[in-house]
Structures are given as C-alpha cells and as structure tokens.
Amino acid sequence: MVDAVEGAAYTIPTETPEGDGTLTWRSTTLVLVRVRSGDTTGLGWTYGAAATARVVEQQLAGVVTGRSAWDVPALNEAMSRAVRNAGRPGLVAGALSAVDIALWDLKARLLGLPLVRLLGAARDDVPVYGSGGFTTYDDAQQDRQLRTWVEEQGIPRVKIKIGESWGRAELRDRDRIARARQSIGPRTELYVDANGAYTRKQAVRLDGFLTEQGVTWFEEPVSSDDLTGLAQIRAAVTADVAAGEYGYSLPYFRHLLDAGAVDCPQADATRCGGITVWLRAAALAEAAGMDISGHCAPHVHAHVAAAVPNLRHLEWFHDHVRIERLLFDGVLDPTCGVINPGAAGAPGLGLTFRAELAERHRV
C-alpha cells in the first residue's frame, strides 16, 4: 500500500548561462517526488516550475495514497482522470509523470530488483548521445564540451543547439555547426536541435549545408505542434527529423506518427505520463516501424529505455546530467557511448537521493 506521497522542488544554478533557439536560462528546477510504502521509498522527478510540487501534493497525493503499490498502471489512470479539469498538459503532466516514475521505482525496490529486471530487459546496454552545445556558448566552450564527450568519454554521437534568436542568427548557426564538425572529426555523428525556432522554408533551405556537414539528426526544425510543417520538412531534407519531447499524453504520439511528421519520435517520461505512458509510446513507434529516443533526464529513462526493442538512443543532456550527478548517488557512466542500467544490482532506478546536500537548493 502507498502510505505517503511528497513533492519538493530544488533549483540548481547553471555553470554559465545556457540557451537554445527560443530560450535562455540561468538555473534549472528538479521537482522530486517521494512515494513511501512502509520503510521503502520510491523516487521520481521531472524538470519544470517549482509549482509542480504543489500539484503533486494537492492534486495527486490523495489519489494515490492508500492504494496498492503494485498496480502502477491503475494508479496512473486514476491520476489522469483526477486532473481532467485541472488541465493535464504541461505542469500537471509533469507532476503526474514524476509520481508514476516514483511508483515504478517503489515497486522495484519492494521486490528488490533493478527496475529494468522488473520491466524485462530487451537489451544489455543503452546508447547515449552527448547533448548541449548551447547557443550561449562561445567557440571555446563548445569545442571543449564536444571534445570531452568524443575524446575523453568516447561518445560517438553529439548534438548542439541551433536556431539562435528564433532563427534570426542563421549565419552563426552555420558557423557553429561547421566548428562542431571540426571539433569532433569526420566519424562522430553530428545532430542539431532548433527547438522549433525556424520557419518551414528556412529549415528546408538549411538542408544542403546540413548534408555537407554530415548532420544526420534535425530535431524540432519547427514547433513540435506543427505536424504538417514537420512532415513537409521531413519529405524535403536528408537528415532524420525528430520531435515529440512536448508530448504530454499518448494521443499526441499517435497524431505525430499518423501525420508522418518524424523519422524518430522522442518521448520524455518526465512529461508524457511517466514510465507507464513512455512504454506505450514506444509500442506505438514500434508498430509504425520506427525507433524511439528518450528525451533528457537520463537516469529516469535508462531502465525503461533498456526495456524496449526499438530504442535508438537516449539523450545525455548536459544540464540534467550535472544535476543528477549532484543530487543522487549511483549515477551511470556513459563511457564509449553506452550506459548499463541495473548492472550494479541496486533496486529500482539504483539511485540514492543526497537529501542533506540537496537541502541548500530547496525552494
């Protein structure tokens, strides 16, 4: 039985200002959920506004408390129904997702199993790609980050942000892409992410340059809500088009696939409805003959990513990796471009929250 559900928010300053095509930020907030059954506690989290913690405690805790900890899909459905009038997308979906993740972690801990063993492994390791290359970086910062992933950690695929200033700095985008290729050499895969900053025609016009630089992944060239635009761009460019990180419910992924909008959908378990819905999104992709990619929050996704046969990779996002290393013991090692969830045998997600250290960041 679930005895208690708690939410708390922790805001961590960035090392330097970070930015993409549409936003800049100086801190990131992790909203942690702890779900307790007896002496055992499960952990889950999402990234977003600190107010998400209030949604957990005011909208969701009462739905989950007192019910069986074994029946996570039933609890997910109960939460989804309970927030109908609160507005499920966005902040509420993040709260629901964090509780779902904590419930899966709790169940695996109660059974004494790594989560990947509870879910059932489809693979032994999970490929990752280094992700960062913020538009706020100067040339030296970008070069240093890329070389760390490729030369020190042996990660064979990396991604940078483009679309600076809502696409109005295209010349700098092109220069940064070319510099990235110089930093990583000819053999490493190069990805770009515009975070929806370009227009449709602008994204298509960029295709020749991206092909010249060997870019094989073009993420959110336009808004992920513009399914028609994504489909048009996908038909016109060489690189694989990806989107889906702002999918807050399962129907979004069906619409994304039905529109022919992407070559590889991305799903974020901290937004889409937790591990429960992430698995369903992966099944939709598999039925469509596609891989799926895990978006950000790598230590949330590691175990569930290993449980699906059609995984392409998982995003080793600099900002979230830094925070998860700070707040948790038991983090994974991406050397050679793969992580091995469950290999250490620790139950659940395999992490221990560093509560005393985190307290200074609590908001």
Side-chain angles (χ1 to χ4, degrees), residues 32-84:
L32 183 77
V33 171
R34 283 174 275 205
V35 177
R36 184 172 56 80
S37 177
D39 295 330
T40 304
T41 299
L43 302 173
W45 65 93
T46 187
Y47 291 93
T52 307
R54 284 193 172 187
V55 177
V56 169
E57 297 193 333
Q58 296 178 4
Q59 299 280 338
L60 302 176
V63 177
V64 172
T65 302
R67 299 187 59 166
S68 171
W70 303 122
D71 302 328
V72 182
L75 295 176
N76 185 289
E77 181 66 15
M79 289 190 291
S80 187
R81 293 182 180 186
V83 299
R84 184 190 68 185

Side-chain angles (χ1 to χ4, degrees), residues 58 69 92 108 116 168-169 203 209 236 244 250 259-260 282 305 307 341 345:
Q58 296 178 4
V92 174
V116 66
R168 293 191 293 270
F209 179 77
L250 190 63

Side-chain angles (χ1 to χ4, degrees), residues 68-293:
S68 171
W70 303 122
D71 302 328
V72 182
L75 295 176
N76 185 289
E77 181 66 15
M79 289 190 291
S80 187
R81 293 182 180 186
V83 299
R84 184 190 68 185
N85 285 340
R88 192 185 188 285
L91 184 149
V92 174
L96 188 156
S97 300
V99 176
D100 179 89
I101 295 159
L103 287 166
W104 278 108
D105 185 48
L106 173 65
K107 183 174 180 178
R109 289 175 189 263
L110 288 169
L111 293 169
L113 293 172
L115 180 57
V116 66
R117 300 299 166 215
L118 172 61
L119 297 173
R123 59 199 313 129
D124 294 328
D125 52 38
V126 172
V128 301
Y129 66 89
S131 172
F134 301 111
T135 57
T136 47
Y137 282 178
D138 62 26
D139 294 343
Q141 287 173 303
Q142 176 177 293
D143 179 73
R144 184 164 56 250
Q145 185 179 68
L146 294 173
R147 289 184 184 276
T148 296
W149 287 327
V150 175
E151 297 174 6
E152 297 181 19
Q153 296 180 321
I155 298 176
R157 56 197 80 84
V158 297
K159 185 177 80 179
I160 67 168
K161 301 287 192 182
I162 60 171
E164 183 178 348
S165 301
W166 286 94
R168 293 191 293 270
E170 187 181 325
L171 289 178
R172 183 166 188 259
D173 288 341
R174 289 171 178 255
D175 180 66
R176 292 178 54 249
I177 293 167
R179 289 179 182 275
R181 175 52 73 192
Q182 291 174 358
S183 297
I184 65 177
R187 296 184 180 180
T188 300
E189 292 182 61
L190 179 58
Y191 301 167
V192 296
D193 181 359
N195 286 99
Y198 289 142
T199 66
R200 297 178 186 181
K201 286 290 185 69
Q202 186 179 21
V204 172
R205 287 194 296 268
L206 197 62
D207 174 58
F209 179 77
L210 296 181
T211 301
E212 178 185 302
Q213 297 297 325
V215 173
T216 55
W217 174 275
F218 195 177
E219 186 173 328
E220 283 194 326
V222 294
S223 169
S224 57
D225 292 326
D226 183 9
L227 302 187
T228 300
L230 286 170
Q232 291 173 347
I233 294 164
R234 181 191 179 204
V237 304
T238 301
D240 282 357
V241 171
E245 67 189 68
Y246 294 108
Y248 293 110
S249 64
L250 190 63
Y252 171 85
F253 293 97
R254 178 183 173 182
H255 299 325
L256 186 74
L257 296 172
D258 285 350
V262 294
D263 294 285
C264 182
Q266 298 167 285
D268 188 331
T270 75
R271 293 173 176 167
C272 72
I275 288 168
T276 299
V277 178
W278 198 95
L279 287 167
R280 296 170 185 170
L284 280 178
E286 184 181 9
M290 291 188 180
D291 292 336
I292 192 167
S293 179

